[in-house]
Amino acid sequence: MAAQAIRLFRKMDGLFAVYKPQGVHWKHVRDSIESNLLKGTLNSCPPPAPQLAVQFQLLSSGENSSSSKDLALSPTMVPTLADHPLVTGPQFHKVHVGVGHRLDAFSSGVLVLGVGKGNGVVKVCYILYDYTLEGEFGKATDNFTDTGRVIEKTTYNHVTQDKLERVLAMIQGANQKALITYSQVDLRTQEAYELAVRGLLYPLGKSPPILMGLRCIHFNPPHFSLEVQCVNETQKYLRKLIHEVGLELRTCAVCSGVRRTRDGPFKVENALTRQYWTADSIIQAIAHFHKTTRRIRKSGMYSLRQQLSALRMRR
Amino acid sequence: MHVCQRCVSLLLSRPLSAALQHSTRALHQRSHLTLLQHSTRHTLSQRHSRQTWRHFADHQAASPDVYNKIDLAQKEVVPLNSDVHRIDLDAAVHTSPLQEISEEEAVQIQVPYALPPESSTLRPYVDKSETLSKLVQLGVNLWKLEQRPNVGSMLVRLDFHADVAPSLLFLKDLGVEESKLGQLLTKNPFILTESLDNLEARVSYLKSKKFSKQSVAAMVSKAPYLLNFSVERLDNRLGFFQKQLGLSAEKARDIVTRLPKLLCGSLEPIKENLKVCELEFGFRGNEIQHIVTTVPKVLIANKRKLTQIFDFVHNTMDVPHSLVAKFPQVLNAKFLRIRERHLFLEYLGRAQYQPSQPNYISLDRLVFLPDDVFCSEVALATLEDFERFQKRL
């Protein structure tokens, strides 16, 4: 019935996270989730009973028309075919599924999607993203990934973890300066100093990509991986970052993977993999994040302080 | 989609009671004229020119005079009614609405249901049209058909007993199941307008090529457009598959029965795919034959996706040509699935695809097993481990 379908739609209002596989455009993910949700709601609701229409049928009472002249018209209820599902089509054609912060085709990771009323909340600013970047020393390509056309090849024997850490520290220092500038605080004031000491500075308004945290998790030449927390970034910028790290180390590097591990409150553990992109699992995930969604909608931003303090602890 | 006025007049002219047919027809013709007179020249010419062109190509040699719209309307209306009527304007004078009539006549007046002359859906016409209601009962998805241009008008114009019933009986005689008729007609409504002689000629051609009755029925159910193609085209395609692939007649028949879409589409993409297999992948002739007979879908698969899968399987998984030719189902699978499973096996150290080595995993088991069976039997790990690994890619 229509009421059942409407109840299902209300259950679907909210946010949930999906693990986007590498090589897939985010639009395909969004489209397949939309069609899965439509299939789930349409199949579960049985079609409404056919409407009945009144038809007047002529009944002649008796054979002698000369004696009794009562020709009665009897009304009968006949089911109409005009409301048959094969004639009207499916009840629901579209579900509003929106993507919060897009991931390009080369990257993989947590992709937050909003359904129905969740779409208003999905584009919340003031959020930190955690990425894991995998790099490889020894070559440079035209699009900074390992699948591009190779332009240069170099040796990397001289690279040690110590040198890498030094380069990362230098990059982080430059980003700290940018952070202070774009957070629009005057460092000569006491409050600003206290915020800076506790690591709670945040860029307000428009800013270029700023890395709030950067460290090396894994070093096994030629492969290495970095963990990054950043704001206002694009995945292409992060691949370029790997390239620049290579340049600073007097060698060259390409990025072999960009993985978003966290988008606000949505972590990798909460993200749904491909086999769970069905209507039931999605509704479960939305119910799970119901409270967080409400908090985001009310406060306007997911508790930034929590994120920033968690970041400071990791340093 | 516009169901035009001509079709509506067809519907309206039928259920009228005999007593008032004359006057209502006259009224109807007059209403046609008044409608046409009020509408602008331009819209009428747009709406009717294309359809009237087709209609009048048979009837008169001269080109339809678009500006003389009243004549057009008259000529349009006249062939629909069985007896040629001259519009007698005095006839309306005799049946005045204030004239007293008996109770019986009053009861017998059936007011024709005011069907809209144009509609973008078939909903208003379903109950009144026998064809449409019978089609819905068969299971034809009218909603999908009305999205296609001009199909709705065509369906409304069809007469059930003259056009539709013979075609349906023909299909039933052919052996197509009743449950599948609805799907068939949804995909290909034009089978109803195809002449029975042509359909019979094509079926007899297929039977002459030694296709059994069941296989012909199966082919028509799987590829609804099959019988709309001419005998020359079917012949051309069958000849191509036999010659180009170098297959025996029986194997060619087997491929075509399993995938009748091969006979429907264009041959260019198939030729391209064959060239890709031969030149880019480097398969030999007999390997290509084996692949095509096992998995005919390779012939109409997307070239880019096919190349992506083969590139991964041959270069990253290091599987030689002979093994891929032995298990061509790999080329039909989803790339993401192959990639994730291979990387998982590699991470566990169980990625062994050579038959001579111990712990050998065949490619079809890699691809076709469902996730839980794959994890328990092939990878010897739990499903949760596989999911956690998927999130690391």
Side-chain angles (χ1 to χ4, degrees):
Chain A
M1 276 305 293
Q4 193 185 356
I6 291 170
R7 249 178 273 142
L8 256 177
F9 262 105
R10 273 203 213 117
K11 264 197 239 170
M12 288 198 312
D13 283 331
L15 299 178
F16 67 103
V18 140
Y19 193 88
K20 185 187 96 68
Q22 193 191 38
V24 178
H25 197 275
W26 61 266
K27 203 151 184 273
H28 295 320
V29 174
R30 196 212 71 89
D31 288 340
S32 56
I33 288 202
E34 186 178 339
S35 53
N36 284 353
L37 281 174
L38 278 173
K39 264 193 278 186
T41 48
L42 287 175
N43 287 343
S44 57
C45 303
Q51 277 189 14
L52 300 170
V54 178
Q55 242 189 38
F56 288 100
Q57 280 173 359
L58 212 56
L59 290 178
S60 59
S61 52
E63 289 168 4
N64 354 349
S65 52
S66 53
S67 54
S68 56
K69 290 195 181 170
D70 302 328
L71 286 169
L73 281 174
S74 72
T76 47
M77 302 289 273
V78 176
T80 54
L81 282 174
D83 288 322
H84 197 274
L86 286 177
V87 180
T88 55
Q91 267 187 309
F92 301 101
H93 292 252
K94 197 173 158 181
V95 181
H96 274 289
V97 178
V99 173
H101 307 276
R102 303 176 196 162
L103 274 176
D104 62 353
F106 180 75
S107 332
S108 56
V110 176
L111 185 66
V112 176
L113 296 166
V115 185
K117 299 237 172 90
N119 278 309
V121 192
V122 87
K123 282 222 180 257
V124 170
C125 305
Y126 308 123
I127 268 185
L128 280 180
Y129 307 101
D130 283 13
Y131 282 88
T132 305
L133 306 174
E134 265 128 62
E136 194 184 322
F137 288 123
K139 51 181 181 168
T141 55
D142 56 348
N143 60 356
F144 308 127
T145 64
D146 55 350
T147 51
R149 188 173 55 95
V150 177
I151 297 175
E152 206 183 315
K153 279 194 174 170
T154 58
T155 57
Y156 50 85
N157 303 320
H158 57 278
V159 178
T160 61
Q161 187 153 7
D162 180 47
K163 286 186 193 169
L164 179 64
E165 301 265 332
R166 241 183 271 170
V167 165
L168 294 180
M170 185 208 69
I171 294 176
Q172 207 171 5
N175 274 288
Q176 281 285 81
K177 279 196 201 153
L179 175 62
I180 293 169
T181 341
Y182 281 97
S183 63
Q184 292 158 10
V185 291
D186 191 2
L187 261 192
R188 282 176 285 175
T189 57
Q190 181 64 23
E191 300 86 31
Y193 168 74
E194 276 175 21
L195 278 178
V197 154
R198 278 185 289 163
L200 295 176
L201 284 176
Y202 194 87
L204 299 169
K206 278 196 172 177
S207 80
I210 294 182
L211 307 175
M212 317 269 280
L214 178 62
R215 74 189 175 113
C216 171
I217 335 174
H218 189 64
F219 182 76
N220 184 20
H223 303 284
F224 66 101
S225 34
L226 306 177
E227 196 192 320
V228 175
Q229 284 94 19
C230 47
V231 173
N232 287 331
E233 89 302 355
T234 54
Q235 285 84 42
K236 197 168 181 188
Y237 176 80
L238 296 170
R239 293 197 283 273
K240 199 175 169 197
L241 174 76
I242 297 271
H243 173 77
E244 277 166 15
V245 162
L247 286 179
E248 291 291 328
L249 287 166
R250 306 284 189 273
T251 175
C252 47
V254 285
C255 177
S256 46
V258 175
R259 245 176 62 233
R260 189 192 275 166
T261 46
R262 187 185 158 141
D263 183 337
F266 300 98
K267 299 188 199 100
V268 182
E269 300 89 54
N270 314 116
L272 300 171
T273 45
R274 250 182 23 255
Q275 50 260 42
Y276 293 111
W277 288 358
T278 54
D280 307 321
S281 334
I282 293 174
I283 292 176
Q284 264 181 12
I286 291 177
H288 181 68
F289 279 107
H290 186 63
K291 280 202 179 135
T292 353
T293 315
R294 212 166 50 172
R295 228 185 301 148
I296 298 178
R297 195 184 291 140
K298 289 205 171 159
S299 70
M301 54 196 206
Y302 176 66
S303 43
L304 186 59
R305 294 183 163 235
Q306 271 188 5
Q307 285 188 73
L308 288 170
S309 50
L311 167 61
R312 192 176 54 91
M313 302 262 281
R314 235 177 291 169
R315 282 198 219 129
Chain B
M1 182 222 86
H2 283 311
V3 181
C4 64
Q5 288 179 348
R6 283 194 301 148
C7 321
V8 176
S9 61
L10 248 180
L11 288 170
L12 286 176
S13 61
R14 273 194 214 112
L16 292 176
S17 62
L20 291 167
Q21 235 174 18
H22 172 81
S23 52
T24 46
R25 219 179 269 161
L27 280 169
H28 197 60
Q29 285 171 352
R30 281 179 78 207
S31 65
H32 252 285
L33 287 174
T34 47
L35 269 170
L36 291 165
Q37 276 161 2
H38 287 308
S39 65
T40 59
R41 249 172 221 258
H42 184 61
T43 50
L44 184 67
S45 61
Q46 266 183 350
R47 234 191 294 147
H48 284 273
S49 56
R50 245 185 283 151
Q51 285 140 353
T52 48
W53 180 263
R54 251 185 266 130
H55 185 74
F56 284 100
D58 313 318
H59 285 262
Q60 50 207 61
S63 61
D65 192 359
V66 181
Y67 297 103
N68 202 353
K69 56 184 193 286
I70 299 173
D71 289 337
L72 267 179
Q74 278 188 345
K75 281 168 195 167
E76 247 179 87
V77 169
V78 163
L80 295 172
N81 304 325
S82 45
D83 41 342
V84 178
H85 250 296
R86 294 188 72 225
I87 296 169
D88 192 5
L89 291 172
D90 291 335
V93 177
H94 294 309
T95 56
S96 138
L98 296 173
Q99 193 182 8
E100 283 192 27
I101 46 174
S102 64
E103 280 291 322
E104 293 160 1
E105 273 185 52
V107 153
Q108 278 173 356
I109 293 175
Q110 280 187 36
V111 180
Y113 187 75
L115 283 178
E118 276 178 15
S119 159
S120 55
T121 61
L122 285 174
R123 273 189 80 193
Y125 308 113
V126 164
D127 288 311
K128 302 294 165 187
S129 159
E130 195 190 348
T131 326
L132 291 179
S133 29
K134 288 263 162 68
L135 286 177
V136 172
Q137 280 158 19
L138 264 178
V140 177
N141 195 338
L142 288 181
W143 177 73
K144 268 199 193 154
L145 284 178
E146 70 193 14
Q147 318 276 328
R148 291 163 71 168
N150 298 328
V151 172
S153 311
M154 181 199 82
L155 287 175
V156 169
R157 249 176 264 161
L158 287 175
D159 179 40
F160 186 74
H161 296 288
D163 306 319
V164 180
S167 307
L168 291 177
L169 285 170
F170 171 78
L171 287 172
K172 225 178 135 190
D173 284 333
L174 199 58
V176 178
E177 293 160 21
E178 287 202 23
S179 49
K180 300 232 172 120
L181 271 177
Q183 280 175 9
L184 207 155
L185 289 172
T186 311
K187 289 243 178 87
N188 181 19
F190 302 108
I191 209 170
L192 298 169
T193 51
E194 194 73 25
S195 76
L196 275 179
D197 302 321
N198 284 340
L199 292 177
E200 277 169 23
R202 287 152 199 173
V203 169
S204 58
Y205 167 75
L206 286 173
K207 285 193 177 155
S208 73
K209 290 284 172 183
K210 295 182 202 149
F211 281 98
S212 72
K213 198 176 170 217
Q214 294 91 354
S215 47
V216 174
M219 277 160 65
V220 173
S221 321
K222 275 195 206 170
Y225 276 99
L226 187 67
L227 290 181
N228 278 48
F229 291 116
S230 62
V231 175
E232 293 90 42
R233 192 173 161 152
L234 294 175
D235 190 40
N236 188 24
R237 294 229 180 337
L238 281 172
F240 170 81
F241 288 118
Q242 226 175 323
K243 281 177 216 155
Q244 196 78 358
L245 297 172
L247 296 169
S248 68
E250 204 189 302
K251 281 195 180 167
R253 249 179 277 147
D254 182 54
I255 296 182
V256 169
T257 316
R258 277 158 62 195
L259 193 65
K261 256 201 282 188
L262 289 171
L263 291 181
C264 294
S266 147
L267 281 180
E268 292 309 315
I270 300 181
K271 286 182 194 166
E272 273 188 37
N273 275 16
L274 282 173
K275 284 284 172 201
V276 157
C277 282
E278 197 189 313
L279 300 170
E280 219 178 299
F281 298 169
F283 281 115
R284 290 196 296 270
N286 57 342
E287 288 176 336
I288 297 183
Q289 274 185 18
H290 180 80
I291 291 174
V292 165
T293 40
T294 328
V295 182
K297 212 173 170 191
V298 168
L299 289 174
I300 45 175
N302 187 342
K303 206 170 44 167
R304 195 175 41 86
K305 289 187 190 168
L306 201 63
T307 322
Q308 195 186 29
I309 294 176
F310 182 76
D311 175 46
F312 184 80
V313 167
H314 186 59
N315 297 329
T316 316
M317 286 164 70
D318 284 329
V319 175
H321 281 96
S322 49
L323 267 182
V324 179
K326 206 168 159 195
F327 298 109
Q329 301 92 339
V330 170
L331 296 171
N332 200 15
K334 298 271 172 202
F335 172 70
L336 277 175
R337 196 175 210 201
I338 305 175
R339 183 171 171 264
E340 281 172 3
R341 288 186 175 186
H342 165 71
L343 290 173
F344 187 49
L345 289 174
E346 207 179 21
Y347 174 70
L348 293 173
R350 283 185 225 279
Q352 183 55 260
Y353 305 112
Q354 301 295 333
S356 48
Q357 306 293 325
N359 290 333
Y360 157 67
I361 297 170
S362 68
L363 288 174
D364 61 341
R365 282 193 70 187
L366 173 76
V367 153
F368 269 158
L369 292 176
D371 275 339
D372 40 354
V373 181
F374 170 77
C375 288
S376 52
E377 286 182 28
V378 181
L380 305 171
T382 58
L383 199 56
E384 286 84 26
D385 290 338
F386 186 50
E387 278 165 36
R388 250 179 274 152
F389 181 77
Q390 271 183 322
K391 292 186 187 176
R392 275 184 46 175
L393 288 177

